[in-house]
Amino acid sequence: MNFSVAFSNGTNLIDDGFYLVGFRTLANKNYLVLALSIIYIITLMGNLVLLAVVLMNSSLHNPKYLAVCNLAVVDISMNSVIIPQMVPVFVFNQNRVSFGTCFSQMFFMHFFGDMESFSLALLAYDRLVAICWPLRYPTINPNPRMMLIIAGIWFLVFLLDIFPVTLAAMLPYCSSREVKSCCCEHGPVYVLACADITYNRRLATAKTLTTLLGPLTFIIATYVIVVVAVLRIASIAQRWKAFHTCLNHLLLVLIYYMPVILAYVLGNLRLGLVQYADIFTAALTVSVTLPPMLNPIIYSLKTDELRDKIIKFLRKPKVAQEIQN
C-alpha cells in the first residue's frame, strides 16, 4: 500500500520524506539492533515451524489451530514490518524515509499491532466455546465459520487503521521532518504537520482505545463466563484441566497487554519521560516485538499435543539421515 498519491497540496509537491532520529542519545544502540535482530530470527523460526507442523498434521486442522495459525502469521508480519527497516537506519545511518514508504510502514505497523489484539480475542472466543459447550463445539465453531470470523477481523482492522493513516498522509508537512522515533509511528509523525491536528489526535485516541480496550474487554468477559462455568464442574480434575487449557492464552494476553497499556498510560501522563525518551522508546520497541517471539514458544511448550508433533517434526531430518547412513 502506497500513500504517495495523498500528497497533493503545495507543501508536499517535492517528496523530501522524513528522517528517523530516534535513539540519538542512546549509547550502544547497535546492541539494541542486535537484540532485535535475534528476536526477529527466533520469531521467524518459531512461527514458521508452528505453521509447518499444523499444516502437515491433519489432526490439527481444527478451529483452535486456525486461530493459532492466524496469530502466527500476524506475529511474523508484525516483526517483519518493524525490525528489518531498523538495520539500515541505525547501523548504516540511512535514516531518510520517503513519504510513501513512511506512511505505508505506519499503516502496516498499526494494522498488525491491532491484529495481534484481535487475534488474542479470537483465541479467547475459541476457548469459551470449547469449555462452555464442549459437545456442541464442532457445530458452533466449525472450520468454515472460524475462517469467516478471521476474514471479518482482518477487514474490520483494515477499516479501523486506514482512515487515521490516510488523514495523516493528507496533512501538510512544511516545517520539521524529524520523526522522534525508531520507525514511522502515527503519533510522532502527524504532530509534525503545520496544520490543525485536533481531529487527528481525537481519531487516533478513539482508534487506540477501540483496538486495545475492545478486545481486552471481550477477553475479560469470556474468562468471567469460563470461570463461572468451570466452578460448576464437580470434579477437581476437570476444573484443573479446564483452567490449564486457558493458561496458555492468559500468558499471551498478559505478555501483550501489560507493556502496551503501561506505555500508553506513561506516554499520556508524561511523567518526566521526555529526558529519557530514547530509553523509553527502546524499551517499548523491545516489549512490542517480544510477544511475536514468545507466542509460538509458549504454545509449543504448554500444549502437549502440539509439543509432541513439533518434536517429531524436528526429529525427522535426523531419522532420515540415520537411515541413509
Side-chain angles (χ1 to χ4, degrees):
M1 183 172 296
N2 196 313
F3 291 88
S4 296
V5 295
F7 307 110
S8 58
N9 59 53
T11 60
N12 289 321
L13 290 175
I14 300 176
D15 185 358
D16 290 329
F18 294 101
Y19 295 87
L20 303 177
V21 296
F23 306 149
R24 269 184 174 177
T25 62
L26 188 66
N28 301 320
K29 61 185 176 184
N30 287 345
Y31 290 113
L32 173 64
V33 176
L34 176 61
L36 291 172
S37 300
I38 294 172
I39 290 174
Y40 182 58
I41 292 170
I42 298 175
T43 299
L44 289 179
M45 292 176 60
N47 285 289
L48 288 175
V49 168
L50 177 62
L51 288 170
V53 169
V54 173
L55 290 174
M56 293 172 62
N57 290 273
S58 57
S59 62
L60 300 179
H61 294 176
N62 55 53
K64 173 185 175 181
Y65 286 103
L66 278 176
V68 171
C69 286
N70 172 70
L71 181 61
V73 171
V74 171
D75 286 340
I76 292 173
S77 304
M78 178 67 179
N79 279 4
S80 295
V81 171
I82 296 176
I83 297 176
Q85 64 86 30
M86 293 179 66
V87 175
V89 172
F90 298 107
V91 176
F92 303 107
N93 295 320
Q94 298 177 3
N95 66 333
R96 181 190 176 278
V97 183
S98 68
F99 278 113
T101 301
C102 184
F103 286 102
S104 295
Q105 185 197 35
M106 182 190 298
F107 170 78
F108 286 111
M109 182 174 62
H110 288 281
F111 175 79
F112 289 115
D114 294 339
M115 275 300 304
E116 189 93 14
S117 183
F118 278 89
S119 297
L120 292 173
L122 180 64
L123 286 168
Y125 158 76
D126 179 77
R127 292 300 84 204
L128 173 69
V129 177
I131 292 173
C132 295
W133 301 280
L135 299 179
R136 296 175 57 197
Y137 180 82
T139 55
I140 295 177
N141 198 32
N143 282 348
R145 183 169 297 172
M146 178 60 84
M147 294 178 69
L148 188 63
I149 293 172
I150 292 173
I153 289 174
W154 281 69
F155 183 66
L156 172 63
V157 176
F158 172 84
L159 293 179
L160 288 172
D161 283 302
I162 191 65
F163 291 111
V165 176
T166 302
L167 289 176
M170 296 173 66
L171 290 170
Y173 296 89
C174 50
S175 55
S176 174
R177 301 288 176 85
E178 292 189 350
V179 179
K180 296 178 181 179
S181 180
C182 59
C183 48
C184 286
E185 297 179 78
H186 183 250
V189 172
Y190 82 81
V191 296
L192 300 177
C194 46
D196 184 11
I197 57 173
T198 303
Y199 180 74
N200 298 75
R201 182 178 288 110
R202 290 175 179 173
L203 182 62
T205 302
K207 195 275 295 184
T208 302
L209 293 176
T210 300
T211 54
L212 278 180
L213 297 185
L216 181 59
T217 302
F218 176 80
I219 292 170
I220 293 172
T222 59
Y223 274 102
V224 170
I225 297 172
V226 166
V227 168
V228 172
V230 168
L231 291 177
R232 292 177 179 175
I233 299 175
S235 170
I236 296 178
Q238 287 178 314
R239 291 180 183 179
W240 171 248
K241 184 178 179 181
F243 281 125
H244 185 265
T245 303
C246 299
L247 181 61
N248 301 340
H249 182 253
L250 284 173
L251 287 174
L252 303 186
V253 171
L254 289 174
I255 290 171
Y256 174 75
Y257 276 103
M258 289 300 290
V260 171
I261 292 176
L262 183 62
Y264 181 79
V265 172
L266 292 178
N268 280 275
L269 292 178
R270 304 182 186 279
L271 299 176
L273 293 173
V274 177
Q275 57 182 328
Y276 304 109
D278 285 344
I279 297 176
F280 180 70
T281 302
L284 179 60
T285 303
V286 172
S287 66
V288 167
T289 54
L290 272 178
M293 180 191 77
L294 295 175
N295 289 346
I297 297 174
I298 291 173
Y299 255 98
S300 301
L301 293 178
K302 292 291 185 178
T303 308
D304 295 336
E305 181 185 22
L306 186 57
R307 183 176 65 244
D308 294 340
K309 285 182 167 51
I310 288 177
I311 292 173
K312 290 179 181 178
F313 174 79
L314 296 176
R315 283 181 177 175
K316 278 184 180 180
K318 295 182 179 179
V319 173
Q321 187 176 5
E322 289 176 1
I323 294 175
Q324 290 177 358
N325 294 335

